[in-house]
Amino acid sequence: MTSPPTTAAAGTPAPLLPDDETGRPAGTHTGPRTEPRTVNPKDFRRRSLRTRRDFWVFLAFALPNLILILLFTYRPLIANMQYSVLDWTLGSPTATQVGLANYVRFFTGPDAREILSTTAVFTLATVGGSMVLGLAIAFVLNQNLRGTTFARSAVFAPYVLSGVGIGLVWLFIFDPVYGVLAWFLRQFGASSPQWINDPDLALTMVTLVYIWKNLGYCAVVYLAGLQSMSQDVLAASSLDGASGWRQLVSIKLPLLSPTTFFLSITCMLSSLQAFDIIRIMTPLGQGTSTLLFEAYLQAFGAYNRAGYSAAISTVLFVILLAITLLQLRFVEKKVHYS
């Protein structure tokens, strides 16, 4: 007589028997067993061909630009660094290796401090003036008023004009004898300042003209940032009782921080490389010898010192690179991306 099968006592669960295949207790499977997915060789080959085709399409579009950048940007940059260690008179068939002597001559020379300070003052004044005035004009142009379309075009127009033409027009305005400003001052019995001959006034003159030229660019970029703001946020702040000044400080300016960061980089790089207006309005660089203009005067002026000019250009490149890296490293942390 066979004994009945044993059963678990009441209230105690029956033990689970191990699964024969996996070794885990029966009943612990969370779902049906799935077989390993096999890769179809045709699908793999098709994806490989598509990737290869996309690569060649990308190369066809990007390669001409890469070649132009290499030929006209990086190749001259490397060549300029090579020239900076030479004692070479422009046009001479021979040159002498002098190592870092050109850099030592620049930093220990009597004009180095004046050139660097002039570059710093001109850059900070033009960048700060263009951005502050551009922001103020952007707030005005953002209003729903009649004639704003024409005003926007008029404000932006100087930025696209030739720097040579702008320099000639403003040089006629600032001329202390025949200029429009001199004639206007004579109507009130006053004489015109010597804008061109006084080094301090010459730097002020060039700075004002450069701010006027770049003002429209900053205003249009700020205007685009203002128009892309969420109106719901501004409406909600108005319902909470925020005044116009409070909205400006706590909402609009933080939301414009990406635009401000972009303009700070582009305007600073542009100001450090300003040349055309300075060359037209002060051809001898009296009080306006920035790093770039001094490099031009050393190479193509009365000195013809191409190696020394290349060293100054290399110093300018290092300064541009350092400023850009510092802005990307520290200033971008304060940018509020909405």
Side-chain angles (χ1 to χ4, degrees):
M1 183 174 180
T2 60
S3 60
T6 59
T7 58
T12 59
L16 299 177
L17 298 177
D19 187 87
D20 294 334
E21 296 181 3
T22 61
R24 293 178 296 181
T28 59
H29 299 293
T30 59
R33 298 187 184 94
T34 57
E35 298 295 333
R37 184 178 178 182
T38 58
V39 179
N40 190 346
K42 293 183 178 180
D43 293 340
F44 180 78
R45 192 178 305 111
R46 192 179 298 112
R47 286 196 298 268
S48 178
L49 291 175
R50 187 183 302 114
T51 304
R52 194 178 300 114
R53 183 190 60 190
D54 293 343
F55 170 75
W56 286 112
V57 170
F58 162 77
L59 197 62
F61 281 101
L63 189 59
N65 293 328
L66 294 176
I67 293 176
L68 291 175
I69 291 174
L70 289 174
L71 287 178
F72 296 102
T73 301
Y74 293 105
R75 180 178 174 273
L77 176 62
I78 296 174
N80 182 81
M81 293 180 179
Q82 294 175 345
Y83 297 151
S84 67
V85 296
L86 300 177
D87 182 10
W88 176 38
T89 302
L90 191 65
S92 175
T94 60
T96 306
Q97 283 277 354
V98 292
L100 300 178
N102 288 325
Y103 296 96
V104 174
R105 178 191 303 176
F106 172 73
F107 285 108
T108 58
D111 299 331
R113 177 176 296 181
E114 179 182 355
I115 293 171
L116 292 174
S117 62
T118 301
T119 303
V121 170
F122 175 79
T123 302
L124 294 177
T126 53
V127 173
S130 300
M131 293 179 62
V132 171
L133 295 177
L135 179 61
I137 293 178
F139 278 115
V140 176
L141 296 179
N142 196 38
Q143 305 298 319
N144 190 14
L145 301 174
R146 181 178 299 179
T148 52
T149 302
F150 173 77
R152 293 169 187 174
S153 302
V155 168
F156 187 72
Y159 180 72
V160 298
L161 295 178
S162 168
V164 175
I166 290 175
L168 290 174
V169 171
W170 280 96
L171 186 61
F172 172 72
I173 293 175
F174 281 107
D175 189 282
V177 179
Y178 305 104
V180 176
L181 183 59
W183 174 86
F184 180 78
L185 292 175
R186 282 196 298 267
Q187 305 306 311
F188 297 92
S191 59
S192 173
Q194 297 295 317
W195 296 98
I196 302 174
N197 300 322
D198 190 334
D200 295 332
L201 293 178
L203 181 60
T204 303
M205 174 184 66
V206 172
T207 302
L208 291 175
V209 175
Y210 203 80
I211 290 175
W212 177 82
K213 183 180 186 300
N214 286 351
L215 185 63
Y217 169 72
C218 296
V220 169
V221 175
Y222 269 128
L223 180 62
L226 288 173
Q227 293 182 343
S228 64
M229 285 184 182
S230 175
Q231 298 301 317
D232 296 336
V233 176
L234 299 177
S237 65
S238 298
L239 292 176
D240 290 338
S243 62
W245 175 257
R246 191 64 180 175
Q247 283 186 350
L248 174 64
V249 174
S250 302
I251 298 176
K252 292 182 179 180
L253 290 182
L255 290 178
L256 284 175
S257 57
T259 306
T260 302
F261 177 66
F262 168 77
L263 285 175
S264 66
I265 293 180
T266 55
C267 291
M268 188 165 294
L269 295 180
S270 176
S271 295
L272 284 171
Q273 300 176 80
F275 174 76
D276 45 7
I277 293 178
I278 298 176
R279 173 65 179 83
I280 294 299
M281 301 191 72
T282 55
L284 300 179
Q286 55 274 23
T288 60
S289 291
T290 59
L291 279 169
L292 182 62
F293 194 60
E294 181 66 18
Y296 164 78
L297 291 176
Q298 291 294 333
F300 303 99
Y303 305 103
N304 292 333
R305 296 187 291 190
Y308 184 64
S309 172
I312 298 176
S313 301
T314 304
V315 171
L316 175 61
F317 167 73
V318 173
I319 292 175
L320 289 171
L321 181 61
I323 290 176
T324 305
L325 293 178
L326 288 174
Q327 287 177 316
L328 293 175
R329 177 65 177 85
F330 298 103
V331 180
E332 192 178 15
K333 292 183 177 180
K334 302 180 185 293
V335 176
H336 173 75
Y337 293 100
S338 56

